[in-house]
Amino acid sequence: MPAISIWRAASAVFALALASALAVTTASAATTWPARPITLVVPYPPGGPTDIVGRVVAQGLGEVLGQTIIIDNRSGAGGNIGAEMVAKSAPDGYTLLLATTAHAINMSLFANRTYDTQKSFAPVSLLTKGPLVIVARPDLPARNVGELIALAKSRPGKLTFASSGNGQSTHLAAALFNSMAGTQMVHVPYRGSAPALTDVMGGQTDIMFDTMLSSMPFVEGGKLRAIAVTSAKRSPAAPEVPTVAESGLAGYEATAWNGLMAPAGTPAPVVQRLSDALRVVLGRPDVQAKFSAQGFAAEWMTPQDFGRFVGDEVDKWAGVVRASGATIN
């Protein structure tokens, strides 16, 4: 046999052996996973809505998988710091990201990113989805959307809205409101919902478009006033609170979501096991009740469906970013 044929034959045998070894390694990893604690990176501070969702999901996943899930709060840069950390992590299923609407928004908002929401991660499942609620400091002289618009127009550049950070849904939902209502409320970004809400309650800022999960307890306690929800229909968690659209700003709608992602390249069997575990967790009545009481719906998706959902969100929010003129270098 000619030397070149021998070389080709040897190369083919080596390639086949390597592929077989990798397949065995992947299958073995999936079989033994998880063999140690898993880190769930929450890209926001403790106490905010994303952190609350993360802790509920972490507890449920830990019980189903029989392994400890450690919450690692890595806040900053509109969720980018935590996302970049996970994107650079080993794709072994031991470092996960609690992704949010912001990670779809950031694709068009931030000029400089070191990750791509659709390419740097393996989608696992949606976790929760729900409306935002416009909350105001109790002494704000506006009790509904019509009065808020009138007040803002009478004080152009004076009324302020807090957000959980530049480019978050809590920011762009208000930017969309400004655009559609013709108002000029000023954006005041914070490093998460918890400190933002604290300043609204303290009167340092006027209003906030926040998740119901973190805001409604303060509304019920009389520390905030709910003006409207941002969904197309009223929320079962607060049926007495009208929608923005029915209150005079027709066509307005904005929702927030949380989902689970792993680094790109994570073995498919590991992603599938995570997906299967989440289906159990999100189907539990106690978990559904915890989210429903605060305006979120627990919603499971297959990895494939969640990937398509994220792609649609990236496209949708890119239009909002362009219309708002917002950009961050």
Side-chain angles (χ1 to χ4, degrees):
M1 180 181 291
I4 190 168
S5 297
I6 295 174
W7 180 82
R8 286 175 177 169
S11 297
V13 170
F14 174 76
L16 181 61
L18 180 60
S20 298
L22 288 173
V24 170
T25 299
T26 299
S28 176
T31 301
T32 59
W33 181 92
R36 54 186 171 84
I38 299 167
T39 297
L40 176 57
V41 175
V42 175
Y44 299 98
T50 306
D51 182 66
I52 293 171
V53 170
R55 292 179 189 278
V56 172
V57 170
Q59 181 179 347
L61 270 181
E63 293 169 356
V64 174
L65 295 173
Q67 191 57 261
T68 302
I69 312 293
I70 301 170
I71 296 292
D72 185 356
N73 294 94
R74 295 294 181 105
S75 63
N80 285 337
I81 290 177
E84 289 170 354
M85 174 189 169
V86 176
K88 295 175 182 177
S89 298
D92 54 13
Y94 288 102
T95 305
L96 307 173
L97 173 69
L98 189 64
T100 72
T101 316
H103 296 105
I105 293 171
N106 290 352
M107 291 292 292
S108 54
L109 182 72
F110 285 85
N112 300 312
R113 286 174 289 98
T114 61
Y115 72 92
D116 184 302
T117 302
Q118 293 175 271
K119 297 178 180 179
S120 301
F121 304 102
V124 179
S125 175
L126 186 68
L127 299 173
T128 64
K129 187 178 179 183
L132 301 177
V133 57
I134 305 176
V135 291
R137 54 185 175 85
D139 62 340
L140 187 74
R143 307 191 71 85
N144 55 53
V145 168
E147 291 179 358
L148 177 62
I149 293 174
L151 182 64
K153 287 185 174 180
S154 70
R155 303 177 186 177
K158 299 297 183 180
L159 254 65
T160 56
F161 69 89
S163 82
S164 55
N166 281 312
Q168 306 301 298
S169 58
T170 55
H171 166 201
L172 290 185
L176 179 61
F177 184 97
N178 260 343
S179 176
M180 292 181 67
T183 52
Q184 299 176 35
M185 295 183 292
V186 178
H187 179 212
V188 182
Y190 290 80
R191 290 174 63 90
S193 284
L197 283 175
T198 297
D199 272 9
V200 176
M201 289 185 282
Q204 282 74 37
T205 49
D206 296 309
I207 67 168
M208 183 175 180
F209 287 60
D210 193 37
T211 63
M212 298 184 74
L213 187 64
S214 58
S215 291
M216 290 310 293
F218 296 113
V219 171
E220 293 165 0
K223 295 181 179 179
L224 291 171
R225 181 193 305 140
I227 292 179
V229 293
T230 63
S231 49
K233 297 180 179 180
R234 294 194 183 199
S235 170
E240 73 284 359
V241 181
T243 68
V244 173
E246 73 177 276
S247 301
L249 199 56
Y252 180 93
E253 181 182 4
T255 57
W257 55 266
N258 295 285
L260 191 69
M261 293 181 171
T266 298
V270 172
V271 171
Q272 189 59 51
R273 190 166 180 203
L274 272 169
S275 174
D276 293 342
L278 280 174
R279 188 172 190 174
V280 173
V281 172
L282 297 176
R284 288 180 173 175
D286 62 321
V287 171
Q288 293 178 352
K290 287 178 182 177
F291 293 144
S292 179
Q294 304 299 340
F296 269 147
E299 189 169 338
W300 176 84
M301 284 184 178
T302 65
Q304 295 75 22
D305 286 344
F306 184 43
R308 286 188 286 270
F309 172 84
V310 171
D312 290 342
E313 283 288 289
V314 169
D315 292 342
K316 180 186 79 174
W317 286 107
V320 178
V321 170
R322 285 194 298 270
S324 71
T327 184
I328 300 175
N329 295 318

